[in-house]
Amino acid sequence: MIEANLSKLKSGIIGEQRLFRMLESYRNHFPYKVVKDVSLDAGGKFQIDCMILTPKLIFILESKNIGGKLYFEKNPERLVRVKENGETSVLESPEIQVERNVALFNWWLEQQGLKIPVVGAFVFTSSTPPLILKGPERVTSLFPKSIFYYLHQKWNEYNDREQCLSKGDIDKLSKIIQIECKKNRFEQYPLRKSWNLDTVQIVNGVRCLKCSRIGMARLYGKWQCPACNHSDKDSHIPTLQEWFIFNKDQITNAECRDYLMITDRHLAKRLLKHENLLEFFSYKSTYYKWKW
């Protein structure tokens, strides 16, 4: 059961990381701010994978890292997945999840005295896209490469609407959301103790966000995947985030070298100099923590 829950959680994190990296590669012509991993309370806690704040509307995007054959069933609403090996599983409908989060976030905005349109969609982030044999009817479903078109299409639909938020308002709302997220975070990291993960081996190596294989090599200032040949200079950041989620709440230079499978302590020090990592000094050593 622990291994199954761990695999499910890791799969979700990998999907979210793929979504975030895709959004980082976009440059929209309208002002916007991306807020990740949102946890809020509107009479009940709810979690949103990704939120995009703009002057005229707010986008909610949910990542779904699932493959196989998919059937969106009705009455009752559910998602039926059939894997390549024939194994069938029943999941909560992403339509219900998106609609619930849009409603709860609208309620949360009302509590802040704000009124702005909110639209939602879910994104299939699996490295192997699913085959959708019976699709959703009410909520937009996307593949990563169609996100850019979807955002611009929706923005154009609201082109004649009055601006609800200035750039300063967007920055202020983003800060309020981030403060509230710290109060309402769902999981207490790291999960090793609460999930009894001492019995589960933490696999060392940098994970490829394209094919999910662990074991990227550091070559010429970038990480190179030996399986799919994908290269990226920052692939170690999502891998380090997994360390803080599953293993420990801090990491040293030596632990970083062992975990990322590198030998150069100077390289490890450079890799740990990142906006998502905080540096701390003690009498005996220097260590780093994730900035949640």
Side-chain angles (χ1 to χ4, degrees), residues 66-83:
I66 50 179
K69 298 177 181 178
L70 302 182
Y71 302 82
F72 286 79
E73 301 286 356
K74 304 295 179 184
N75 195 29
E77 292 204 43
R78 59 185 185 171
L79 175 62
V80 177
R81 174 179 62 180
V82 181
K83 295 183 178 180

Side-chain angles (χ1 to χ4, degrees), residues 193-204:
K193 288 186 178 180
S194 59
W195 281 28
N196 191 28
L197 294 182
D198 289 330
T199 61
V200 179
Q201 182 181 4
I202 303 297
V203 180
N204 292 345

Side-chain angles (χ1 to χ4, degrees), residues 70-272:
L70 302 182
Y71 302 82
F72 286 79
E73 301 286 356
K74 304 295 179 184
N75 195 29
E77 292 204 43
R78 59 185 185 171
L79 175 62
V80 177
R81 174 179 62 180
V82 181
K83 295 183 178 180
E84 290 185 2
N85 61 6
E87 179 186 341
T88 300
S89 57
V90 177
L91 310 170
E92 180 188 32
S93 170
E95 285 190 287
I96 295 294
Q97 180 188 5
V98 170
E99 289 175 332
R100 180 176 62 241
N101 283 345
V102 168
L104 287 169
F105 185 60
N106 270 318
W107 190 11
W108 185 87
L109 286 172
E110 288 179 12
Q111 294 173 354
Q112 313 306 312
L114 295 172
K115 189 173 182 180
I116 181 171
V118 180
V119 297
F122 54 92
V123 185
F124 292 109
T125 52
S126 173
S127 58
T128 303
L131 177 61
I132 305 172
L133 296 178
K134 187 176 182 181
E137 297 178 357
R138 301 186 309 276
V139 176
T140 300
S141 61
L142 304 167
F143 289 115
K145 290 186 178 180
S146 60
I147 295 175
F148 182 76
Y149 174 75
Y150 169 75
L151 296 178
H152 280 264
Q153 182 186 44
K154 282 296 180 183
W155 173 263
N156 290 333
E157 286 180 16
Y158 286 81
N159 194 41
D160 296 331
R161 299 284 187 96
E162 185 178 346
Q163 180 172 299
C164 300
L165 300 173
S166 66
K167 186 178 183 303
D169 292 332
I170 291 174
D171 291 337
K172 183 179 179 181
L173 179 57
S174 173
K175 290 179 181 177
I176 292 173
I177 291 172
Q178 290 169 1
I179 291 171
E180 289 298 309
C181 285
K182 291 181 180 179
K183 298 178 184 177
N184 298 294
R185 188 164 300 281
F186 276 71
E187 299 287 355
Q188 292 297 317
Y189 302 137
L191 299 178
R192 176 177 283 276
K193 288 186 178 180
S194 59
W195 281 28
N196 191 28
L197 294 182
D198 289 330
T199 61
V200 179
Q201 182 181 4
I202 303 297
V203 180
N204 292 345
V206 175
R207 184 191 302 276
C208 175
L209 287 181
K210 186 174 182 180
C211 72
S212 297
R213 173 166 175 163
I214 295 176
M216 297 183 82
R218 186 75 178 181
L219 298 171
Y220 307 109
K222 291 185 177 182
W223 296 100
Q224 186 84 27
C225 178
C228 69
N229 210 34
H230 173 69
S231 65
D232 190 293
K233 66 183 181 67
D234 291 325
S235 290
H236 61 285
I237 296 300
T239 298
L240 283 172
Q241 184 185 24
E242 291 184 24
W243 167 278
F244 294 105
I245 290 174
F246 298 108
N247 200 28
K248 295 172 65 177
D249 64 352
Q250 63 186 50
I251 192 169
T252 64
N253 187 295
E255 288 173 328
C256 176
R257 280 178 276 147
D258 186 49
Y259 182 53
L260 300 183
M261 299 181 69
I262 57 177
T263 58
D264 189 340
R265 64 185 180 90
H266 299 292
L267 171 60
K269 185 175 182 178
R270 291 197 300 272
L271 295 178
L272 289 166

